[in-house]
Amino acid sequence: MLKRKWKSLCLTLGLSLTLVLAGCGSGDKDSSDGTATDGNGETNYSKAVDYTITGIEAGAGVFKAAEQAVEDYGLDGWEVQASSSGAMATVLGEAIKNKEPIIVTGWSPHWKFAKYDLKYLEDPKGTFGDEETISTMVRKGLVEDKPNAYKVLDQFFWTEEDMNAVMLEISNGGNPSEVAANWVEKNADKVAEWTKGAEKVDDQEIELVYVEWDTEVASTHVVGKVLEDLGFKVKLTPLDNAVMWQAVANGEADGMVAAWLPGTHGDLYEEYKDQLVDLGANLEGAKIGLVVPAYMDIDSIEDLEAK
Ligand code: PBE
């Protein structure tokens, strides 16, 4: 807005004064390399990304939070583009290869922070919340029906570093089941803590549901492998976020390790918390927000402008 006013003022004052008014330049013009500059020759990142945040699945908490941020920060005319986590990662990788500006809905742990130099945009209004935990939810009655699986799910707890190791290998082309099996083999001490007190079973079935986010692909396959080694016939079913919560709440699935709280899935938790059993955190220190490549000279969501 302010910029537009300056521009019309410059036009009114005419050419003779433009040298004095440093703010009047060719302004707001797309340059040939696809970036956009303001009157001071600084990149106008809002324009350069075409007022678009590259999102993921529309049902993801971070997607909804990004739409809320557009509202909270008055980013009129911006679009949060729905996509998939995989497509977002591809588009991000391409932008970085070409040194182009891009804003994505991001979260950590995630392998993208190991692979690329990225940063979260500051969120002074707190739209994306603070640090989160990833929690485990199971259906009611699981403790009686399958106490050994319940025990493992209850005791499953790992670190950001553990999850990153699994995620990175999968992102480099590893098959999730094989990567998980290798991790389980190499981390017998940790796995022994999760299985402490659980007995081997014979041919019992267990179904875990998840969403195909990199974080959840990693955790669900690791827990699935541990249960398999205990003798369970494990079924891992990928679903949409809301359907995943619903499936555990109505008892169609046995459990999930993909509940991001208190913020990201706060609405779903409120809706279903009375119908499921909350087994608490399986990972601490998770986070969501808007993420950009470190080469972008921008620090805060507040630096973005309405269209
Ligand atoms: N995520 C990954 C999910 C939770 C796990 C941040 C993409 C979400 O936004 O719902």
Side-chain angles (χ1 to χ4, degrees), residues 14-290:
L15 256 182
S16 59
L17 277 175
T18 55
L19 288 176
V20 186
L21 288 165
C24 304
S26 56
D28 277 12
K29 228 196 226 163
D30 285 336
S31 63
S32 55
D33 63 357
T35 58
T37 52
D38 63 14
N40 300 319
E42 281 174 14
T43 304
N44 179 340
Y45 285 117
S46 301
K47 188 164 191 183
V49 300
D50 198 19
Y51 306 94
T52 302
I53 294 165
T54 303
I56 56 167
E57 295 83 359
V62 72
F63 185 91
K64 292 183 238 170
E67 287 189 319
Q68 187 61 47
V70 165
E71 211 178 302
D72 292 353
Y73 288 85
L75 298 176
D76 303 342
W78 278 69
E79 192 199 344
V80 187
Q81 223 164 48
S83 174
S84 68
S85 304
M88 179 276 288
T90 304
V91 174
L92 176 67
E94 272 164 17
I96 288 172
K97 204 168 82 194
N98 301 322
K99 275 252 156 113
E100 284 165 357
I102 184 167
I103 305 175
V104 302
T105 54
W107 66 99
S108 36
H110 195 280
W111 55 265
K112 59 184 176 280
F113 290 95
K115 202 155 176 172
Y116 309 121
D117 198 3
L118 302 170
K119 61 185 177 187
Y120 278 101
L121 291 182
E122 284 159 27
D123 173 26
K125 291 188 198 288
T127 305
F128 290 93
D130 290 327
E131 268 195 15
E132 304 223 310
T133 58
I134 309 180
S135 289
T136 302
M137 303 283 155
V138 298
R139 69 168 169 85
K140 286 196 168 167
L142 186 73
V143 68
E144 290 91 23
D145 299 348
K146 297 167 192 175
N148 294 297
Y150 181 94
K151 193 160 235 117
V152 172
L153 288 164
D154 195 18
Q155 292 176 159
F156 168 54
F157 184 86
W158 62 348
T159 65
E160 187 164 347
E161 204 186 335
D162 296 327
M163 188 186 236
N164 268 329
V166 176
M167 250 189 308
L168 197 60
E169 268 192 62
I170 296 173
S171 82
N172 285 334
N175 169 289
S177 305
E178 284 168 21
V179 173
N182 284 339
W183 191 91
V184 165
E185 204 187 310
K186 278 194 226 133
N187 291 271
D189 291 358
K190 263 185 193 165
V191 172
E193 280 171 35
W194 307 343
T195 54
K196 207 169 176 177
E199 283 157 25
K200 288 223 171 205
V201 299
D202 204 15
D203 237 21
Q204 265 188 42
E205 285 182 8
I206 182 127
E207 181 173 9
L208 300 181
V209 283
Y210 68 109
V211 184
E212 281 184 323
W213 297 311
D214 307 75
T215 25
E216 281 50 45
V217 170
S219 54
T220 309
H221 280 79
V222 165
V223 176
K225 176 63 182 159
V226 172
L227 290 168
E228 199 180 290
D229 289 348
L230 268 186
F232 283 95
K233 273 168 103 179
V234 180
K235 193 171 165 200
L236 306 182
T237 309
L239 298 171
D240 283 342
N241 191 20
V243 187
M244 166 181 78
W245 279 84
Q246 205 175 36
V248 179
N250 66 23
E252 274 170 44
D254 292 305
M256 55 101 152
V257 293
W260 283 53
L261 297 169
T264 309
H265 297 160
D267 52 345
L268 292 157
Y269 183 70
E270 276 310 309
E271 190 174 346
Y272 294 116
K273 68 174 190 239
D274 297 335
Q275 298 169 54
L276 38 72
V277 182
D278 179 356
L279 294 184
N282 60 57
L283 183 139
E284 276 161 359
K287 183 175 164 58
I288 63 167
L290 295 185

